[in-house]
Amino acid sequence: MNASPLALTLTKKTHSCVRIEKEGRVLVIDPGGFSEDDAAIGADVLLVTHEHPDHFNEARLRAGLETNPAAEIWTLRSVAEQLSAAFPGRVHTVGDGDAFSAAGFDVTVHGELHAVIHPDIPRITNVGFLVDGSVFHPGDALTVPGRSVDTLLLPVMAPWNKISEVIDYVREVEPRRAIDVHDALLTDLARPIYDNQIGALGGADHGRLAPGGTTEL
């Protein structure tokens, strides 16, 4: 008989940063410039989806790596090149289709490009991370990972999306539930509209957490 998967605890940080814990081990995704100063502190595993400053903040990552000498980063080349010299052997470059295990977490990598902001703005690289086959963070793209997802971290409001695309993305991924990320620019006036429309039309349980809010997955 197979053992049940270990429970994950998700803590929402500001904007697109999340903290995932399992048996005392900590994985943090996208501790960017909008997230808390200590967003990367205590992390065993750090994942960065792309180089935009609301997802990648060098000072926050350095603080996490310096506080925990065993901590390591997995990210795409554009970010890795900015950190690898200072932390030799601890910064790993990954891309679409890669898989790795770190501190007890199993991670697969999905996607290649950031969503289109405007045709005149060159697209940069972007990867999404699926953690323990359960929680998917797509970064700044509407990447469909091609496998079942229990919890989709949903980039709910950005300069590169609109609510109809967000709803259709939930429908295409078909998660059991969607939890909002990429929401620092969403005003309190707009939140009920997004909650109602995504919840009614997305086809999945939809929720959001305030920064610091926690849920068991």
Side-chain angles (χ1 to χ4, degrees):
M1 182 175 179
N2 293 330
S4 299
L6 296 173
L8 303 175
T9 300
L10 174 76
T11 301
K12 172 77 164 61
K13 310 300 278 186
T14 299
H15 199 50
S16 252
C17 181
V18 297
R19 179 184 181 98
I20 299 173
E21 299 182 51
K22 178 176 68 175
E23 289 198 317
R25 293 161 294 182
V26 178
L27 178 150
V28 174
I29 305 175
D30 281 2
F34 293 172
S35 62
E36 293 76 4
D37 289 345
D38 62 352
I41 301 296
D44 301 293
V45 180
L46 290 158
L47 308 179
V48 180
T49 62
H50 66 289
E51 65 196 82
H52 281 162
D54 55 328
H55 297 255
F56 163 54
N57 180 277
E58 185 172 343
R60 284 162 175 66
L61 290 168
R62 282 179 174 269
L65 290 168
E66 290 166 357
T67 302
N68 179 7
E72 299 182 42
I73 295 177
W74 282 260
T75 186
L76 37 65
R77 185 173 304 280
S78 60
V79 172
E81 288 175 344
Q82 300 182 57
L83 292 166
S84 57
F87 300 97
R90 299 172 64 190
V91 182
H92 310 279
T93 301
V94 293
D96 182 50
D98 288 340
F100 59 92
S101 295
F105 295 96
D106 294 322
V107 182
T108 57
V109 185
H110 304 266
E112 296 179 330
L113 290 173
H114 192 288
V116 174
I117 301 171
H118 186 275
D120 290 352
I121 300 176
R123 294 175 75 182
I124 63 169
T125 51
N126 176 94
V127 293
F129 296 104
L130 179 62
V131 179
D132 279 0
S134 174
V135 184
F136 185 58
H137 191 312
D140 274 8
L142 301 180
T143 300
V144 178
R147 54 186 296 180
S148 62
V149 171
D150 182 75
T151 301
L152 173 65
L153 300 176
L154 182 65
V156 69
M157 190 275 179
W160 47 266
N161 72 19
K162 58 184 179 180
I163 196 167
S164 64
E165 295 170 337
V166 173
I167 291 167
D168 286 346
Y169 181 52
V170 178
R171 289 179 173 182
E172 190 169 5
V173 176
E174 296 183 314
R176 183 174 67 85
R177 67 177 152 194
I179 296 175
D180 289 352
V181 293
H182 213 289
D183 57 356
L185 300 181
L186 189 63
T187 69
D188 289 340
L189 286 173
R191 283 190 178 278
I193 299 170
Y194 277 69
D195 289 345
N196 291 336
Q197 294 190 359
I198 297 170
L201 300 173
D205 181 37
H206 171 252
R208 56 183 169 88
L209 297 167
T214 297
T215 187
E216 299 297 321
L217 303 179

